[in-house]
């Protein structure tokens, strides 16, 4: 399922993204409320932190509910009953108090989507950043609507990043996933593939280097 995760804290977002990814979901992480309003159409479920830097999460929820019935699970650090009650009144389907227990998160997501009245559209596994589109099932990449041809390894690197869009993925993790046990000699190879990918996509903003750590797809 495509999960839009609105969370400004990198540590929390990283942990949630990883657990969602490991359980077969396709998380896209955004930092701001405005991004939720811009991207909710590409999601099957929203995990919404209430404390966002630009807009209060409840305000985001109110605006979203004016245009969408997307299932929403609110994440609150406040433990504050009033914001939870307000969130539910504004149309949140469920809530979780931080720190989130991961097993509970997965169970709630399942329950909420089971209850959702409109059956989910056949889950699309296309990830979009700007005008770069990565279709994980068809293994196709398009930039500005024009298909870009990638090698198997280039696609594997891009897919590993796109499957957790908006979140940094470490070099180690990329090498494990793309090369498996053969990664001992490939640190250099990863650099080569990334250079090639960047040249082919022609969108410098789509792949960000996180110095001393790894890479991120999308902003
Ligand atoms: Ca926050």
């Amino acid at each position: 399922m495509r999960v839009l995760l609105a969370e400004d804290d990198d540590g929390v977002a990283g942990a949630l993204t990883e657990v969602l990814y490991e359980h077969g979901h396709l998380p896209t992480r955004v930092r701001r409320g405005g991004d939720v309003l811009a991207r909710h159409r590409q999601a099957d479920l929203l995990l919404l932190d209430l404390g966002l830097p630009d807009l209060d999460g409840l305000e985001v929820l109110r605006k979203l509910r004016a245009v969408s019935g997307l299932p929403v699970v609110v994440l609150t650090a406040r433990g504050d009953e009033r914001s939870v009650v307000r969130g539910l009144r504004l149309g949140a389907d469920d809530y979780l108090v931080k720190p989130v227990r991961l097993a509970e998160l997965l169970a709630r997501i399942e329950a909420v989507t089971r209850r959702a009245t409109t059956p989910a559209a056949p889950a699309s596994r296309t990830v979009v950043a700007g005008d770069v589109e990565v279709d994980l099932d068809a293994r196709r990449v398009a930039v500005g609507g024009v298909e870009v041809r990638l090698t198997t390894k280039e696609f594997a690197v891009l897919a590993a990043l796109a499957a957790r869009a908006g979140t940094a993925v470490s070099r180690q993790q990329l090498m494990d996933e793309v090369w498996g046990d053969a990664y001992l000699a490939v640190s250099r190879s990863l650099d080569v593939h990334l250079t090639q990918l960047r040249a082919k996509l022609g969108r410098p903003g789509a792949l960000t280097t996180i110095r001393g750590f790894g890479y991120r797809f999308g902003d």
Side-chain angles (χ1 to χ4, degrees), residues 7-8 49 51:
E7 168 62 67
D8 56 320
D49 177 31

